[in-house]
Amino acid sequence: MPLLPRVLLTGATGFLGSHLLDALLNRGYDVVILKRSTSNIYRIQHVIDSVASYDIDLKPLEVAFKEQKIDVVIHTAGQYGRNGCSIAEIIESNVVFGASLLDACLKYSVGTFINTDTMLQPYLNNYSLSKKHFVDWLRQHSDRVRIVNLKIEHMYGTKDDDSKFVAWFLSQLREGVSEIELTSGKQKRDFIYVSDVVSAFLAVLDKNETLSKFSELEVGTGQAISVREFVERLLCFYQKYDSKSQTKLLFGAIPYRKGEAMSVSVDITDLKKIGWQPMVSLDDGLSRIIRE
């Protein structure tokens, strides 16, 4: 049986990265992670001794590439630009850090770079613009390292950060707030559960050598629903779980954000071609996050 490639994973302490780390280790991959010495490792505490870990605020990230023979980089780290984050901080995290990873991949002959991107329009905000800029750099150098760019739609699931919409909404229900102010909720999104996103990464990892030197794959369920329908279903599920909940949803109480996309269309045809398909239904996903 051939040896599995050694994977370097960024963002392992985050929402997606922690789920992906569990899946990689369960499959028997040898995983190297990059983090900061100050990173909160509560999501991965149970597996931290099973990986080679490098604190990039204490040592140059290139040390990991020197000491380990990295075959594949999976880059999930990113700065969303919340909580007053500056433009420079967003660029540093989403472009400069990624470029440093790319430099190391080129220098140490890494075979594949799997990048985490977004379905957001490039000029919606600083985050989406920075992600677009980095993909341009990846494309520029895809003649020397295979690039797979995974464009993810609206991911949700357990262990998410309360700054994200779905986790925030659920936190409001758990706090028992009387009212939640929302937009009209007519915008449509393709909500995909985190384990299905993880399985997309694993499918790409399995089949990456069959892909072209630069590939972009969209990750979603292929079925969009309105935000209003999503939150109403989540509230319904939650009130079955907690019969004392009396939270009311105030649709139309706040305006749409500037540049808000009212619909999305996620084409998962290319992912299906390599054997992937989403497995978690919306109702199942909602049940999982409520039971967390």
Side-chain angles (χ1 to χ4, degrees):
M1 183 176 179
L3 291 176
L4 293 171
R6 178 173 290 153
V7 176
L8 182 141
L9 175 66
T10 73
T13 62
F15 169 47
L16 171 59
S18 61
H19 283 279
L20 186 51
L21 178 58
D22 280 339
L24 290 169
L25 293 174
N26 286 338
R27 279 200 170 195
Y29 282 93
D30 186 5
V31 183
V32 179
I33 69 169
L34 303 182
K35 65 178 189 64
R36 295 184 181 278
S37 60
T38 56
S39 296
N40 189 334
I41 63 170
Y42 79 95
R43 290 186 177 101
I44 62 169
Q45 183 69 62
H46 61 296
V47 294
I48 194 65
D49 293 333
S50 301
V51 300
S53 177
Y54 290 82
D55 292 330
I56 57 174
D57 56 330
L58 302 180
K59 294 181 179 180
L61 67 81
E62 190 174 319
V63 173
F65 289 83
K66 286 180 179 179
E67 295 183 355
Q68 311 284 340
K69 176 61 179 74
I70 305 299
D71 300 300
V72 177
V73 165
I74 301 180
H75 182 35
T76 73
Q79 171 57 256
Y80 290 93
R82 300 186 178 98
N83 302 318
C85 186
S86 71
I87 295 172
E89 289 172 318
I90 294 171
I91 293 173
E92 178 66 33
S93 178
N94 296 345
V95 181
V96 177
F97 175 60
S100 296
L101 282 172
L102 181 57
D103 275 338
C105 287
L106 299 177
K107 182 174 180 178
Y108 292 93
S109 301
V110 173
T112 302
F113 189 116
I114 303 173
N115 186 53
T116 308
D117 196 8
T118 175
M119 289 290 295
L120 294 174
Q121 293 300 309
Y123 298 101
L124 177 63
N125 54 37
N126 292 332
Y127 165 73
S128 58
L129 181 60
S130 67
K131 298 295 283 186
K132 172 63 169 61
H133 285 166
F134 181 55
V135 173
D136 286 343
W137 283 104
L138 291 174
R139 189 190 302 270
Q140 179 75 8
H141 295 281
S142 59
D143 59 329
R144 297 176 58 194
V145 54
R146 179 177 287 106
I147 302 296
V148 186
N149 190 49
L150 294 180
K151 302 177 69 172
I152 301 172
E153 227 300 90
H154 204 119
M155 177 175 56
Y156 72 102
T158 57
K159 300 192 293 185
D160 202 356
D161 189 321
D162 283 354
S163 65
K164 310 278 188 60
F165 174 71
V166 176
W168 168 82
F169 183 85
L170 185 55
S171 74
Q172 297 298 289
L173 297 181
R174 287 173 172 155
E175 290 173 14
V177 301
S178 59
E179 299 174 339
I180 300 178
E181 294 186 343
L182 299 160
T183 68
S184 296
K186 294 180 181 179
Q187 66 272 50
K188 289 188 174 182
R189 297 291 181 265
D190 187 332
F191 294 91
I192 181 167
Y193 194 75
V194 64
S195 65
D196 280 335
V197 177
V198 166
S199 69
F201 276 87
L202 296 178
V204 166
L205 191 55
D206 287 342
K207 301 292 181 66
N208 79 88
E209 293 186 0
T210 70
L211 299 174
S212 62
K213 292 296 289 181
F214 181 88
S215 299
E216 281 196 325
L217 304 174
E218 297 181 1
V219 186
T221 66
Q223 301 292 324
I225 65 169
S226 72
V227 170
R228 178 166 187 152
E229 180 182 350
F230 180 88
V231 296
E232 285 179 335
R233 287 171 74 171
L234 178 51
L235 176 62
C236 181
F237 270 79
Y238 187 80
Q239 290 181 334
K240 289 179 181 178
Y241 174 80
D242 179 3
S243 59
K244 296 180 181 179
S245 173
Q246 298 294 320
T247 299
K248 304 296 183 184
L249 307 183
L250 304 183
F251 291 104
I254 59 176
Y256 294 116
R257 60 183 173 176
K258 184 179 179 181
E260 183 82 59
M262 295 307 293
S263 64
V264 296
S265 178
V266 181
D267 184 352
I268 59 176
T269 304
D270 288 340
L271 268 176
K272 285 186 172 181
K273 287 179 180 177
I274 62 171
W276 176 88
Q277 62 179 1
M279 302 298 293
V280 181
S281 69
L282 180 58
D283 288 351
D284 187 14
L286 296 180
S287 296
R288 292 186 192 188
I289 61 173
I290 289 170
R291 295 195 305 266
E292 180 184 13

